[in-house]
Amino acid sequence: MFGAKISNGEAFAFGKSVNAGIAKLKAYLAEHSIKCPNTKYVLSGYSQGAMVITSAIPELNPANILYAATFGDPKLYLPEGEGINPDACKGKNLSPYRRYAPNCRTSAGSLGAKIPYQELGWEGKIGLWCRDKDLICGAGIEIASSGSEESLISSAIKSHTSYVSGGQIADIARTIVKKLPAAYPTKLDAIAIESSALDSLDVVFLVDRSYQMLTPIRDLKPAILEAAEKVVALPNGRTGLYSYADYVDKTPVQDLLYLTSTSGLRYAMATIRYNGESTDFAKEISLLPAIKRALREQPWRAGATKSIVIITNRGYRDPDMDGTTLEDIVSLSLSIDPVNIYVVGPEENREKFSRLITSTNGGYYNEDELTQLSTILKNRPSVTFPLAKYTGKPGEEFDFLANVQGDIIKYEWDLDFDGIFEVTTNSPRITTIYQDETSGYIQLRVATRDGKISTGSAEVVISRNIPEYYSLSQQAISNLGAITDAVSISAPSQEVLVPNCGKY
């Protein structure tokens, strides 16, 4: 079931007939356009609803459309994803309307591709989002994946219904909001849209709860809460809290909370139970296992700027008692896109954390500088790559183009996966050739005019044997029933918004 809701309150349902839905939508738009010839429309589609958008586009006048966003579209088409070794896997020839499709082998939706996907005159007015392993919009699934085909399909359906929690809906909103001032200059030219209000920000506080931190945490609590409030106050800000101490019977003593409000953070900090005795003055505690757990268990959002803030007055073991090493933390951070790690502690411990913060492109702040950290986290630039994984053969050229938000004056690249940023460019784009088989994570580090930095990362695999992928067949889908109907029922309803004339 899909439908439309008009901003004046009028609404009508399209039912399950795509053609009937298109006819109703076209009729209303035609009537509305006569009354308001300068009105722009914002269209969004979900699952079967996306079919309405993509099927209706050839019949609509692009001059009256501000932006059409489709996500989980079963009719998508990305020609760069076709073939055994497609161009997309090397970052080349990406479709201009490709906004989020991390699987480089995504080429067509489960109901067949709409060709051409971008009609003449729609340049810059259409974008598609397809989550990794989303069965409905056609991303491939690795043969190496464990479990039965049924379990793979179940996983794919889950991915198809998680565009909100994954951060893609927020990305669509940012894309549209950024187009509004140009579309309505007389209405919006005086409105300053703060960049941080448009970007997703995930910040986790990792608090040392060993006994000797009881007084420092009490003193720092107001500044910690202030920092959290600035994050949560953002439309797309989210925070969390982990507390940790040392091992007890070889088990890390840690608590975990996911938080979306400062009231939750206030309660969590008030109920921290400190571990140890007043005579416990161990110089190191189990920090690395705590970071590892936070990295693995926090529901990080795709495209969000991600940070961990550690608050401690002691150092850490490398390796720790469970074998966790600093290299493990760096690798895991990069695989998440990455997570930059910041430490708040006494000035005399700054050197102890130099490798950790340098390797994760974070920073160190003493207790008096904690209030500065909240501003830095809030206004950091954003760096994302269009693909989660690039693959190719030795001797092939790769084209790395990142999506960067912020007043950037410096672009630095780590292309050989050693953590050293050896190349500087004037834009977020670079081409390179790998002559030998290798693998790792490329990184782009950007710096703003006022000195704030962020990094983005993506996996690169160079192999003479390209990994084999396959897409689930239509027969496999039909054997499990009407999956698209089930997904449409379980997915949150979406609306086509048509604003009234003069009301924006």
Side-chain angles (χ1 to χ4, degrees):
M1 179 69 69
F2 40 84
K5 181 178 180 182
I6 313 308
S7 61
N8 63 7
E10 182 180 349
F12 50 86
F14 293 161
K16 290 190 175 182
S17 169
V18 174
N19 291 333
I22 293 174
K24 287 186 177 183
L25 180 61
K26 286 171 58 180
Y28 185 90
L29 293 181
E31 177 185 356
H32 194 68
S33 295
I34 294 174
K35 296 178 181 179
C36 308
N38 297 321
T39 297
K40 300 291 192 300
Y41 305 107
V42 175
L43 308 181
S44 65
Y46 193 97
S47 187
Q48 292 179 331
M51 295 168 57
V52 174
I53 303 302
T54 53
S55 298
I57 279 176
E59 308 298 328
L60 299 176
N61 181 359
N64 291 331
I65 303 297
L66 175 64
Y67 197 77
T70 64
F71 42 102
D73 185 2
K75 299 282 289 183
L76 70 73
Y77 181 50
L78 295 171
E80 66 268 25
E82 297 176 334
I84 298 299
N85 185 21
D87 282 351
C89 290
K90 296 177 285 294
K92 307 188 76 173
N93 300 318
L94 300 183
S95 297
Y97 49 82
R98 182 184 189 133
R99 288 290 304 182
Y100 182 82
N103 190 324
C104 65
R105 288 171 173 80
T106 299
S107 59
S110 60
L111 299 184
K114 175 190 178 300
I115 303 175
Y117 197 83
Q118 179 178 275
E119 300 281 343
L120 185 66
W122 284 82
E123 294 80 4
K125 292 176 175 285
I126 185 170
L128 67 80
W129 283 254
C130 176
R131 284 179 60 80
D132 190 21
K133 299 182 181 179
D134 184 342
L135 165 69
I136 305 304
C137 60
I141 296 179
E142 296 184 38
I143 287 179
S145 297
S146 60
S148 64
E149 189 169 78
E150 287 81 1
S151 67
L152 293 177
I153 293 178
S154 175
S155 175
I157 292 176
K158 182 178 180 181
S159 180
H160 183 67
T161 58
S162 57
Y163 282 81
V164 174
S165 60
Q168 285 73 48
I169 300 302
D171 191 34
I172 290 173
R174 288 193 297 271
T175 301
I176 293 172
V177 167
K178 290 176 181 178
K179 291 179 175 292
L180 291 176
Y184 303 107
T186 60
K187 297 285 185 178
L188 300 175
D189 58 356
I191 299 178
I193 302 176
E194 186 178 356
S195 61
S196 61
L198 300 175
D199 296 324
S200 297
L201 183 61
D202 286 352
V203 179
V204 166
F205 293 90
L206 189 54
V207 179
D208 176 358
R209 65 180 182 92
S210 55
Y211 187 85
Q212 61 175 313
M213 283 295 293
L214 189 147
T215 298
I217 292 298
R218 181 194 62 198
D219 296 340
L220 291 173
K221 186 181 296 185
I224 296 172
L225 292 174
E226 178 186 349
E229 286 171 352
K230 289 183 178 181
V231 172
V232 177
L234 299 174
N236 296 307
R238 189 170 62 180
T239 186
L241 173 72
Y242 293 71
S243 65
Y244 71 99
D246 215 338
Y247 275 63
V248 175
D249 297 328
K250 298 184 179 180
T251 301
V253 180
Q254 300 165 37
D255 295 325
L256 165 65
L257 287 170
Y258 303 143
L259 303 167
T260 56
S261 67
T262 49
S263 60
L265 186 65
R266 288 176 184 275
Y267 175 79
M269 293 198 66
T271 56
I272 289 178
R273 298 180 62 183
Y274 292 87
N275 185 62
E277 304 294 339
S278 59
T279 56
D280 179 14
F281 293 109
K283 294 182 178 179
E284 288 85 25
I285 53 178
S286 294
L287 174 60
L288 296 185
I291 298 175
K292 181 168 66 175
R293 180 177 175 184
L295 289 171
R296 286 178 172 175
E297 298 188 17
Q298 179 71 10
W300 306 103
R301 294 172 294 177
T305 300
K306 308 170 182 69
S307 309
I308 288 180
V309 179
I310 300 165
I311 303 171
T312 183
N313 60 7
R314 295 189 287 181
Y316 62 94
R317 307 183 187 96
D318 181 20
D320 209 295
M321 294 173 63
D322 69 341
T324 303
T325 66
L326 176 60
E327 286 69 24
D328 295 333
I329 298 301
V330 173
S331 178
L332 187 55
S333 166
L334 290 174
S335 70
I336 297 173
D337 175 37
V339 180
N340 303 125
I341 297 179
Y342 298 81
V343 180
V344 177
E347 186 63 35
E348 59 266 24
N349 285 351
R350 183 182 294 269
E351 185 58 33
K352 294 180 181 179
F353 288 92
S354 61
R355 287 184 60 223
L356 174 63
I357 62 175
T358 299
S359 300
T360 60
N361 291 283
Y364 191 93
Y365 297 84
N366 61 44
E367 295 93 329
D368 296 333
E369 296 172 324
L370 181 55
T371 54
Q372 301 176 25
L373 178 59
S374 62
T375 301
I376 291 174
L377 294 176
K378 177 182 175 183
N379 297 319
R380 291 173 61 204
S382 171
V383 184
T384 57
F385 283 92
L387 302 174
K389 185 177 183 178
Y390 295 79
T391 62
K393 298 180 179 181
E396 293 182 323
E397 184 180 67
F398 284 75
D399 187 357
F400 299 120
L401 172 62
N403 179 30
V404 178
Q405 303 293 334
D407 184 18
I408 310 301
I409 62 169
K410 193 173 185 179
Y411 302 87
E412 298 175 293
W413 299 82
D414 170 23
L415 298 175
D416 55 5
F417 327 133
D418 62 356
I420 299 173
F421 295 84
E422 67 275 1
V423 179
T424 300
T425 60
N426 295 321
S427 74
R429 187 171 198 165
I430 194 169
T431 58
T432 190
I433 296 175
Y434 295 93
Q435 299 295 350
D436 302 310
E437 291 187 314
T438 184
S439 65
Y441 290 90
I442 63 163
Q443 292 189 75
L444 169 60
R445 182 171 63 193
V446 300
T448 61
R449 197 171 303 278
D450 56 358
K452 298 180 180 66
I453 67 169
S454 282
T455 55
S457 60
E459 186 178 8
V460 177
V461 176
I462 310 300
S463 174
R464 293 182 177 86
N465 300 311
I466 300 297
E468 294 184 8
Y469 289 74
Y470 77 103
S471 295
L472 295 176
S473 66
Q474 285 294 313
Q475 184 62 41
I477 295 174
S478 61
N479 287 343
L480 290 176
I483 288 180
T484 54
D485 287 343
V487 170
S488 182
I489 292 171
S490 62
S493 62
Q494 300 296 323
E495 299 171 339
V496 178
L497 302 180
V498 184
N500 279 331
C501 231
K503 294 181 181 180
Y504 307 119

